[in-house]
Amino acid sequence: GAGVSQSPSNKVTEKGKDVELRCDPISGHTALYWYRQSLGQGLEFLIYFQGNSAPDKSGLPSDRFSAERTGGSVSTLTIQRTQQEDSAVYLCASSLAPPGTASNQPQHFGDGTRLSIL
Amino acid sequence: QKEVEQNSGPLSVPEGAIASLNCTYSDRGSQSFFWYRQYSGKSPELIMSIYSNGDKEDGRFTAQLNKASQYVSLLIRDSQPSDSATYLCAVKDNYGQNFVFGPGTRLSVLP
């Protein structure tokens, strides 16, 4: 079946521009996660959506970062006024985690968007 | 603050040997434990999950969990050069729904 789909796979933009990154989770997965990974570094948690609950935004590094999840499915991560330090791979993952229930389901990752800020 | 710790490595083992990767976690409420493999330039892929104390085997991989010691490990038997990658440990409590990842251990299997 279809996995987590992210687009674009690569994005090059100039400093100061806004960018939008898209994530299509696995069908039926209620939990969706965004991470950032700089070269040679670990995963940096950004934001987490679960069903219709308020998202956990505790990992967003600044107010230039925001994310939405429309209709409980597709998510968009927006970075405004990009800076060179925003250059990284942005990974999206989804998980089958029914709201309000205990769940031991793993995450499944997309291939990521490689963002380069010139 | 929930933390997951791993040795960053690199851990080098000769081909055919057993590679042992370790992970400790701080939250005693953690219930689910996952090992992901990440090749350079690729996204993480799930290789093992474990929820109960003891060992869980899947092919050449064995995950070991000791909740009392807050310790989870991954053994790779008959290591192959294709096993060379970064291995990420992830921990989750069933109700928080969020995952905490360790920094990863880089494994190098030498032919």
Side-chain angles (χ1 to χ4, degrees), chain A residues 32-36 44-69 75-78 80, chain B residues 1 96-98:
Chain A
L32 186 148
Y33 308 78
W34 283 99
Y35 296 89
R36 177 169 71 176
E44 177 187 2
F45 166 73
L46 297 178
I47 188 169
Y48 153 59
F49 296 88
Q50 169 57 297
N52 295 322
S53 302
D56 177 354
K57 304 180 181 180
S58 60
L60 294 179
S62 78
D63 59 7
R64 295 187 296 105
F65 289 72
S66 62
E68 290 185 340
R69 190 177 184 193
S75 177
T76 302
L77 177 69
T78 301
Q80 295 179 309
Chain B
Q1 180 76 0
Q97 305 291 15
N98 204 350

Side-chain angles (χ1 to χ4, degrees), chain A residues 3-5 23-35 45 47-56 68-69 71-75 91-110, chain B residues 36 92-99:
Chain A
V4 178
S5 177
C23 174
D24 235 310
I26 294 172
S27 178
H29 281 198
T30 57
L32 186 148
Y33 308 78
W34 283 99
Y35 296 89
F45 166 73
I47 188 169
Y48 153 59
F49 296 88
Q50 169 57 297
N52 295 322
S53 302
D56 177 354
E68 290 185 340
R69 190 177 184 193
S73 181
V74 171
S75 177
L91 290 163
C92 176
S94 70
S95 173
L96 181 63
T101 64
S103 170
N104 57 14
Q105 296 295 315
Q107 292 181 325
H108 300 273
F109 284 84
Chain B
Y36 287 82
K92 179 175 170 295
D93 70 78
N94 282 358
Y95 290 93
Q97 305 291 15
N98 204 350
F99 292 73

Side-chain angles (χ1 to χ4, degrees), chain B residues 49-62:
Chain B
S49 59
I50 187 167
Y51 313 112
S52 304
N53 279 327
D55 294 1
K56 179 182 177 183
E57 189 174 317
D58 183 0
R60 295 186 296 111
F61 298 98
T62 298

Side-chain angles (χ1 to χ4, degrees), chain A residues 33 35 43 104-109, chain B residues 3-6 22-26 30-37 44-51 63 65 71-74 87-93 98-105:
Chain A
Y33 308 78
Y35 296 89
L43 296 176
N104 57 14
Q105 296 295 315
Q107 292 181 325
H108 300 273
F109 284 84
Chain B
E3 293 183 348
V4 176
E5 296 186 351
Q6 298 179 253
N22 304 316
C23 172
T24 59
Y25 58 94
S26 64
S30 301
Q31 296 292 327
S32 306
F33 307 86
F34 307 92
W35 283 99
Y36 287 82
R37 178 177 61 199
E45 57 177 324
L46 178 71
I47 53 173
M48 287 285 287
S49 59
I50 187 167
Y51 313 112
L65 175 61
Y71 175 94
V72 58
S73 65
L74 179 70
Y87 289 80
L88 301 167
C89 172
V91 171
K92 179 175 170 295
D93 70 78
N98 204 350
F99 292 73
V100 181
F101 278 84
T105 297

